């Protein structure tokens, strides 16, 4: 089986797995302690959590703090619903290609949701003026479906002019690119070779939120509940490795991108070829039945669109936002590759996919 679905999740780094094992100890071990307990077991677990917090924080710009969450979706909900501006009833401006964790959550705000359009290249155009009731701006750094990278410096300037709270979904950027500066940034461990079930919300110094989850007051009172030292240790190890390997990984992925563009030269690319993360290859082909293609190439794991929306039967909202009608959106596949993808795997996968597409007459 060849894995080419890195936007959905990434393989667990061996270093992250190793970091987790001690904190999964059973009877006779010392790693099962509650990190909020005052005895030695608890203090050891707490030390592991804080080491990991420092490692995750190192992925972000200076001048903020990391709050551990159960996922990036939870982190984005915390930021959007807990901000002072949202509580004051002000609206949120979000890009048309945001992940549902932002797009749908923003609609819950008392002030409602204002959608910022993108062009055929999947990028926000120049936005000179926002409606006067906008109090929150939410724009993702790297899109999960088509890989486009938004001009976050310009977005930050726009938010500042509107005196708006800026939220950034950096899930697909973390560990690959320097993370954009915002008031609140969400990331997820399993998208950078860490474990599932753990995410983080970075908050700029001076930012306060109302908590969504109350109880024991853990995580600066913003997210109550007992932390998992094992998941957090794995997250920290993955973050440390990503920071150390960022340049090396980027070189490897660029070589895969260049070869993939040759192997799929007669397919149409969705979104900008330049302002994008080159580990994301969103392609379409007229007349292609992607569901059948996936069935005919079962030795290759790839996506027909966003993993979060798979099985819904609905055309991708992101692809529609860049101007594709439903039939062309359904002709799209997404290949995602990364650190552990080999050139040989890419060659073999491309041969299988192209042969299956041609057999359809597409």
């Amino acid at each position: 089986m060849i894995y080419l679905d890195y936007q959905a999740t990434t393989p667990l780094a061996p270093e992250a797995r190793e970091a987790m094992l001690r904190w999964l100890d059973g009877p006779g071990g010392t790693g099962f302690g509650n990190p909020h307990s005052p005895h030695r077991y608890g203090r050891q677990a707490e030390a592991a959590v804080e080491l990991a917090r420092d490692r995750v924080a190192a992925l972000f710009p200076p001048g903020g703090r990391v709050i551990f969450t159960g996922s990036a979706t939870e982190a984005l909900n915390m930021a959007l619903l807990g901000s002072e501006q949202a509580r004051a009833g002000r609206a949120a401006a979000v890009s048309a290609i945001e992940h549902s964790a932002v797009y749908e959550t923003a609609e819950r705000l008392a002030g409602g949701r204002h959608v910022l359009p993108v062009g055929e290249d999947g990028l926000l155009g120049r936005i000179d003026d926002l409606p006067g009731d906008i109090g929150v701006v939410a724009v993702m750094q790297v899109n999960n479906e088509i890989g486009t990278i938004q001009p976050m410096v310009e977005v930050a300037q726009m938010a500042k002019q509107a005196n708006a709270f800026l939220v950034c979904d950096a899930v697909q950027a973390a560990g690959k690119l320097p993370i954009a500066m915002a008031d609140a940034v969400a990331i997820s461990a399993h998208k950078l070779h860490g474990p599932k079930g753990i995410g983080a919300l970075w908050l700029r110094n001076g930012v306060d939120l109302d908590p969504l989850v109350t109880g024991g007051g853990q995580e600066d009172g913003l997210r109550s509940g007992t932390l998992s030292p094992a998941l957090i240790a794995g997250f920290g190890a993955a973050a440390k490795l990503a920071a150390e390997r960022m340049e090396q990984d980027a070189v490897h992925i660029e070589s895969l991108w260049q070869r993939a563009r040759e192997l799929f030269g007669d397919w149409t690319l969705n979104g900008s070829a330049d302002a994008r993360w080159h580990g994301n290859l969103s392609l379409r082909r007229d007349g292609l039945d992607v569901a059948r293609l996936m069935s005919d190439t079962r030795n290759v794991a790839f996506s027909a669109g966003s993993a979060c929306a798979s099985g819904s039967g609905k055309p991708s909202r992101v692809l529609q936002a860049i101007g594709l009608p439903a039939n062309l959106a359904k002709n799209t596949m997404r290949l995602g590759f990364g650190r552990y993808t080999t050139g040989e795997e890419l060659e073999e996968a491309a041969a299988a996919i192209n042969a299956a597409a041609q057999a359809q007459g597409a």
Side-chain angles (χ1 to χ4, degrees), residues 62-143:
R65 68 193 194 277
V66 166
I67 305 298
F68 286 119
T69 64
S71 64
T73 293
E74 180 188 347
L76 290 164
N77 272 255
M78 287 173 62
L80 288 167
L81 301 176
S83 70
E84 175 185 350
Q85 291 84 345
R87 299 194 307 271
R90 298 178 68 187
V94 306
S95 85
I97 60 171
E98 290 302 300
H99 189 280
S100 296
V102 165
Y103 197 80
E104 295 181 8
T105 304
E107 195 172 26
R108 293 176 52 197
L109 270 62
R113 180 186 66 200
H114 175 78
V115 178
L116 304 173
V118 296
E120 292 182 358
D121 57 3
L123 301 174
L124 288 168
R126 181 175 178 81
I127 302 169
D128 295 317
D129 295 304
L130 288 172
D133 62 340
I134 295 298
V136 179
V137 173
V139 174
M140 68 196 321
Q141 187 171 355
V142 178
N143 184 264

Side-chain angles (χ1 to χ4, degrees), residues 41-357:
Y41 288 86
R43 292 197 305 272
Q44 288 176 339
E46 181 187 24
V49 166
E50 295 310 314
L51 173 62
R53 195 187 305 275
D54 289 342
R55 289 173 168 177
V56 172
L59 294 176
F60 292 93
R65 68 193 194 277
V66 166
I67 305 298
F68 286 119
T69 64
S71 64
T73 293
E74 180 188 347
L76 290 164
N77 272 255
M78 287 173 62
L80 288 167
L81 301 176
S83 70
E84 175 185 350
Q85 291 84 345
R87 299 194 307 271
R90 298 178 68 187
V94 306
S95 85
I97 60 171
E98 290 302 300
H99 189 280
S100 296
V102 165
Y103 197 80
E104 295 181 8
T105 304
E107 195 172 26
R108 293 176 52 197
L109 270 62
R113 180 186 66 200
H114 175 78
V115 178
L116 304 173
V118 296
E120 292 182 358
D121 57 3
L123 301 174
L124 288 168
R126 181 175 178 81
I127 302 169
D128 295 317
D129 295 304
L130 288 172
D133 62 340
I134 295 298
V136 179
V137 173
V139 174
M140 68 196 321
Q141 187 171 355
V142 178
N143 184 264
N144 56 304
E145 291 193 44
I146 58 175
T148 49
I149 302 173
Q150 297 299 337
M152 293 304 299
V153 172
E154 289 82 355
V155 170
Q157 291 172 345
M158 172 187 68
K160 184 176 181 180
Q161 290 171 359
N163 195 27
F165 182 72
L166 178 58
V167 179
C168 179
D169 170 355
V171 168
Q172 298 290 339
K176 307 176 183 71
L177 303 167
I179 294 177
M181 174 61 84
D183 295 309
V185 184
I187 68 172
S188 179
H190 78 99
K191 300 301 176 76
L192 51 83
H193 304 290
K196 298 172 183 65
I198 184 70
L201 177 66
W202 179 89
L203 294 175
R204 182 178 53 77
N205 287 342
V207 169
D208 291 313
L209 301 176
D210 265 6
L212 299 186
V213 181
T214 58
Q218 292 92 339
E219 293 301 275
D220 274 356
L222 289 178
R223 201 266 188 177
S224 294
T226 301
L227 294 173
S228 166
L231 292 177
I232 290 172
F235 192 178
K240 179 177 182 290
L241 187 63
E244 293 170 347
R245 292 182 53 107
M246 192 175 293
E247 184 175 344
Q248 179 183 350
D249 284 349
V251 169
H252 174 60
I253 289 164
E254 183 62 27
S255 69
L256 293 173
W257 164 267
Q258 295 296 339
R259 183 56 181 146
R261 294 289 278 143
E262 294 171 356
L263 293 168
F264 295 99
D266 55 350
W267 294 62
T268 301
L269 182 71
N270 294 317
S272 170
D274 301 316
R276 80 186 291 141
W277 171 244
H278 281 175
N280 180 315
L281 189 61
S282 175
L283 300 167
R284 68 181 189 272
R285 192 159 172 156
D286 289 349
L288 183 68
D289 182 339
V290 176
R292 178 181 163 193
L293 179 70
M294 297 176 78
S295 178
D296 291 343
T297 54
R298 294 184 181 179
N299 65 316
V300 184
F302 62 97
S303 176
S306 169
C308 300
S310 62
S312 69
K314 298 179 181 178
S316 161
R317 171 172 50 79
V318 170
L319 297 179
Q320 289 180 310
I322 65 172
L324 295 187
N327 62 315
L328 292 184
K330 290 184 175 181
N331 294 157
T332 289
M333 70 170 181
R334 183 190 66 188
L335 304 180
F337 35 80
R339 179 185 302 162
Y340 302 116
T341 309
T342 68
E344 292 77 11
E345 288 176 324
L346 184 61
E347 298 275 349
E348 184 179 343
I353 290 169
N354 280 319

